[in-house]
Amino acid sequence: MIEVNHLVKKFGSFTAVDDISFKVEPGELFALLGPNGAGKSTTIKMLTTLLKPTAGSLKLNGYNVVKQQSAVRKSFGIVFQDPSLDLDLTAYENMQLHAVMYHLKPKRIKTRIEELLTLVELWDRRNSLVKTFSGGMKRRLEIARGLLHQPKILFLDEPTLGLDAQTRNLLWEYVGNLAKTKDMTIFFTTHYLEEAETNADRIAIIDHGKLLIVAPADEVKKSTKSQSLEEAYLKLTGKEIRDESVSKGEAWRERQRARVMR
Amino acid sequence: MRVIYILWLRQLKKYVRSKSRIVGAIGQPLLFLLALGYGLGSVYKAAGQGNYLQFLVPGIMVQTVLFSAMFYGAMIIFDRQFGFLKETLVAPDSRFKIMFGGALGGATTSVIQGMLVFVISLFLGFKPHWSQLALTIVIMSVLAVAITSFSSGIGSFVNDMQGFQAINQFLIFPLYFLSGALYPLNRVPAWLRIIAEINPISYTVDALRWTLIGTTRFGIWHDLLALAITLVVLVGFGAFRFRHIEA
Ligand SMILES: Nc1ncnc2c1ncn2[C@@H]1O[C@H](COP(=O)(O)OP(=O)(O)OP(=O)(O)O)[C@@H](O)[C@H]1O
Ligand SMILES: [Mg+2]
């Protein structure tokens, strides 16, 4: 469903993604893990036609990502890591715009939107402008919007960032169900390792743009002789604190989000 | 079509919800109208050129449409900064439709602004020929679509407001001031006349003078031809730049 071959992305002389290759099977839940700045979002941006790769080839749903952009764009849905809502529109209008852009049948639009806004408990607030929403509410709306049309492949870039435990559970339940019943392929990133461990069929760990391992969580633990995924993760990516450590980076991004979203 | 429509509607909703934008965007042309209209009116008359307000209003209407349509490009930069742009860039539709839907929306609000200024000018004593009002609106619309497409193109590769303002300062303001919107071109030095004659804004101003007060310098057919060429070139430019946008 997703094929990545010798993918490279350079920003000037800096290499953000350094010659990575992997495959994701249809219906698979695939987690891409790695410290801040490892290259996760950059990889997703290349897979979703937002950035041009410097080298390497990419296939999505059988289509060449660089050459068959419109076929590729029909194949996936995405929840971005960074904010992507129109704050001057209402929750409903944001959903509606997405529904129309993704060619949902006019008759289905209203019921689909109601279904999903109810799922994320925003139906009562559907007519409020998004700029009046809290950070978590905005995130829930983005997730509902990402699930509105049912693509073959769903990219979730840190979908649970800033969400409470209830919503996180709900999300993973719903997403897991989609993978099972609709054979949807789910490609996600997260810094909550237990989320990856319980939900992902396979895990890839990337650091400094290089892919370190691609395997089911059990094998990742076994091959590093670790008790937990966290231990394995730290053994692979090293314990030294980066210019942005995981927790510091997380806190920093939360603040950025709060600032941008205000 | 529905995609173009919903993106058009988005611009209209945002416009209606932003009172400050409505007032802000007619503030500047209104200032021009009052300061120049009353300030230069007597000089103009003394020079034997007739009623300056009659001459000025079509130029100010072009100014209103031109600058609010340019402002549409800033909206793209805001969309990029607030992140909404990504949402439209991964949509499974042609980038042209996505660019064009928004540009049409921006153009519609620009024409509304232009018409607001028109209505205000009536209260100030402007006496238009009413018979060509429909063509007036068509001409404003063509200019508006051309300029919102152009500014979409600019917004696609200029990432910050400073860069965008620079384009306004060094390209759009000069084109406007050298267009004959504010003064007649029959008494200006040759170099200024030549610039005016290769400036698409001059032809728009001239076209509106023809429809509103019945005078023309280049001839209405020349004006319309120049406008059509401008439209095609600028929509092409916008579509091309927007297709190669990276988020
Ligand atoms: N447009 C850009 N220009 C220059 N450098 C960039 C750009 N986008 C990303 N980078 C750099 O590429 C590297 C990888 O960034 P990326 O966003 O992919 O990290 P990530 O793995 O998603 O991290 P996080 O967990 O913090 O989201 C970082 O060092 C980042 O600074
Ligand atoms: Mg990221």
Side-chain angles (χ1 to χ4, degrees), chain B:
Chain B
M1 275 320 279
R2 288 175 61 231
V3 172
I4 292 182
Y5 168 73
I6 197 93
L7 289 167
W8 172 84
L9 190 64
R10 167 175 181 251
Q11 292 303 328
L12 254 73
K13 283 179 176 161
K14 286 169 84 87
Y15 171 74
V16 172
R17 282 170 198 173
S18 161
K19 306 277 177 303
S20 59
R21 215 176 112 203
I22 302 177
V23 176
I26 54 173
Q28 187 201 35
L30 220 55
L31 181 69
F32 270 67
L33 203 55
L34 291 172
L36 295 180
Y38 289 104
L40 293 178
S42 53
V43 182
Y44 191 82
K45 195 168 220 157
Q49 299 269 8
N51 184 331
Y52 186 50
L53 188 73
Q54 289 293 106
F55 177 83
L56 185 62
V57 169
I60 300 294
M61 286 165 67
V62 168
Q63 176 187 357
T64 315
V65 174
L66 177 65
F67 285 97
S68 28
M70 270 313 285
F71 181 74
Y72 176 69
M75 303 276 289
I76 299 218
I77 294 175
F78 293 142
D79 275 352
R80 185 199 294 278
Q81 285 173 352
F82 284 96
F84 180 80
L85 188 67
K86 294 190 292 276
E87 158 79 1
T88 56
L89 293 183
V90 295
D93 234 307
S94 75
R95 288 265 169 102
F96 177 74
K97 279 198 213 165
I98 289 167
M99 186 282 288
F100 201 63
L104 280 183
T108 306
T109 62
S110 305
V111 172
I112 294 175
Q113 300 277 44
M115 289 311 288
L116 282 177
V117 167
F118 172 75
V119 170
I120 293 170
S121 73
L122 295 177
F123 288 102
L124 297 177
F126 179 60
K127 300 224 165 12
H129 297 180
W130 290 99
S131 57
Q132 298 293 348
L133 193 65
L135 185 57
T136 304
I137 294 175
V138 171
I139 291 167
M140 287 200 289
S141 306
V142 172
L143 174 72
V145 174
I147 300 298
T148 49
S149 300
F150 172 72
S151 64
S152 316
I154 300 293
S156 308
F157 66 93
V158 175
N159 292 327
D160 53 11
M161 280 306 287
Q162 283 82 359
F164 189 78
Q165 279 307 334
I167 305 247
N168 248 341
Q169 297 287 343
F170 292 106
L171 185 66
I172 304 303
F173 270 104
L175 279 181
Y176 173 68
F177 280 114
L178 301 177
S179 72
L182 303 175
Y183 46 79
L185 293 170
N186 50 13
R187 301 250 184 110
V188 300
W191 64 270
L192 193 54
R193 210 183 55 235
I194 291 168
I195 292 179
E197 279 169 5
I198 54 171
N199 177 352
I201 307 302
S202 312
Y203 293 90
T204 320
V205 171
D206 195 57
L208 280 200
R209 288 217 172 99
W210 186 80
T211 60
L212 289 170
I213 60 169
T215 67
T216 169
R217 179 181 170 78
F218 305 115
I220 184 70
W221 292 108
H222 274 118
D223 294 339
L224 294 179
L225 181 68
L227 259 170
I229 294 171
T230 308
L231 178 71
V232 171
V233 170
L234 295 187
V235 170
F237 168 81
F240 177 79
R241 297 298 336 185
F242 198 77
R243 188 149 51 151
H244 294 279
I245 200 169
E246 285 203 335

Side-chain angles (χ1 to χ4, degrees), chain A residues 9 45 48-52 69-70 73-74 76 78 80 82-90 93-94 96-98 100-106 109 129 145 260, chain B residues 1-7 9-11 13-14 17-18 75 79-95 97-98 243-247:
Chain A
K9 180 69 192 182
K45 280 184 186 156
T48 54
T49 73
L50 284 174
L51 278 179
K52 283 205 181 69
Q69 293 198 333
S70 60
R73 290 191 191 122
K74 287 195 180 90
F76 71 81
I78 180 168
F80 297 99
D82 310 315
S84 61
L85 296 166
D86 188 332
L87 305 183
D88 298 324
L89 297 182
T90 66
E93 287 166 342
N94 267 283
Q96 196 182 25
L97 205 123
H98 185 93
V100 172
M101 285 205 298
Y102 282 83
H103 307 161
L104 260 69
K105 295 206 177 59
I109 288 183
L129 292 182
R145 188 182 64 179
V260 173
Chain B
M1 275 320 279
R2 288 175 61 231
V3 172
I4 292 182
Y5 168 73
I6 197 93
L7 289 167
L9 190 64
R10 167 175 181 251
Q11 292 303 328
K13 283 179 176 161
K14 286 169 84 87
R17 282 170 198 173
S18 161
M75 303 276 289
D79 275 352
R80 185 199 294 278
Q81 285 173 352
F82 284 96
F84 180 80
L85 188 67
K86 294 190 292 276
E87 158 79 1
T88 56
L89 293 183
V90 295
D93 234 307
S94 75
R95 288 265 169 102
K97 279 198 213 165
I98 289 167
R243 188 149 51 151
H244 294 279
I245 200 169
E246 285 203 335

Side-chain angles (χ1 to χ4, degrees), chain A residues 40-41 81 157-158 189 253:
Chain A
K40 302 181 295 295
S41 296
Q81 177 178 347
D157 198 352
E158 298 191 35
T189 75
R253 263 208 323 276

